[in-house]
Amino acid sequence: MLQKESKNGIYIGAVCCMALLFFSFSVNKISPRLQEKLNSAVQTTFEVEEFSLDLVSISSSLNGKTAIELGGENFFKVVQNEKLIGYAYLGEAPSMKDVFDYVVLFNTDLSIKKSKVLIYRENHGRQIGSQRWLKQFIGMGVDRVIRYGEDVDAIAGATISAKSMTKAVNDVLKSVGILKSEGIL
């Protein structure tokens, strides 16, 4: 009897390990809360009610050339009535102790139309979510390199998050520039 229970325990443990392994390699899905915030950002920025976010497919070899990971569900064409109206990159960047979710929305010419912090998970550093600070990125294109404290104002009390957001936007611009040079966009 004891041997049977021991074998069952081993079997259950093996199944649990396999399930954990399977789910750890699955494609990241956008949470409903984040999807709602992304949709709202697209609607207000592009001033549209109806639109679709069409995933831009990137090959693994091309993805290896980019500064950021473009696999999964994070880079989209924004389409309204079958017409391209822009692009959206959904990303995650480190803050002091956690990460925050952000979106960079592009015009069709690949200049930044708007950047927005969607979910910030810490008490300190929230100033990076202010549109007053984020509007500094508007109009920047794929040929631009942004320097924190020079091209983008520093923020006292949010240094880590502000530097992180600046680096993230730089990496997005560089990666979108690579997609453009490769003829993907």
Side-chain angles (χ1 to χ4, degrees), residues 118-161:
L118 301 175
I119 300 175
Y120 195 82
R121 296 173 179 88
E122 293 195 51
N123 292 327
H124 294 27
R126 291 188 180 278
Q127 302 94 312
I128 67 156
S130 78
Q131 281 307 302
R132 183 174 173 209
W133 186 75
L134 288 168
K135 73 180 181 181
Q136 298 176 92
F137 296 110
I138 294 173
M140 294 183 177
V142 296
D143 56 343
R144 183 74 185 262
V145 176
I146 310 164
R147 291 175 304 279
Y148 178 75
E150 294 179 34
D151 302 311
V152 174
D153 294 336
I155 302 177
T159 304
I160 293 170
S161 295

Side-chain angles (χ1 to χ4, degrees), residues 40-48 105-106 113-116:
S40 176
V42 169
Q43 286 176 323
T44 58
T45 302
F46 290 99
E47 299 175 350
V48 294
L105 299 164
F106 291 91
K113 186 169 182 74
K114 185 175 187 174
S115 59
K116 184 175 176 103

Side-chain angles (χ1 to χ4, degrees), residues 44-133:
T44 58
T45 302
F46 290 99
E47 299 175 350
V48 294
E49 285 296 319
E50 299 290 323
F51 66 92
S52 66
L53 293 174
D54 299 345
L55 191 61
V56 176
S57 180
I58 311 296
S59 71
S60 59
S61 62
L62 182 56
N63 198 14
K65 296 178 183 179
T66 59
I68 55 172
E69 179 70 31
L70 291 172
E73 293 187 23
N74 61 358
F75 191 59
F76 306 91
K77 291 179 182 178
V78 182
V79 178
Q80 181 188 38
N81 298 327
E82 298 182 27
K83 181 182 179 216
L84 177 69
I85 59 173
Y87 297 91
Y89 175 79
L90 180 63
E92 193 177 79
S95 55
M96 186 174 197
K97 297 178 184 171
D98 209 336
V99 294
F100 59 90
D101 297 295
Y102 67 92
V103 64
V104 179
L105 299 164
F106 291 91
N107 294 302
T108 55
D109 68 357
L110 302 177
S111 64
I112 295 177
K113 186 169 182 74
K114 185 175 187 174
S115 59
K116 184 175 176 103
V117 174
L118 301 175
I119 300 175
Y120 195 82
R121 296 173 179 88
E122 293 195 51
N123 292 327
H124 294 27
R126 291 188 180 278
Q127 302 94 312
I128 67 156
S130 78
Q131 281 307 302
R132 183 174 173 209
W133 186 75

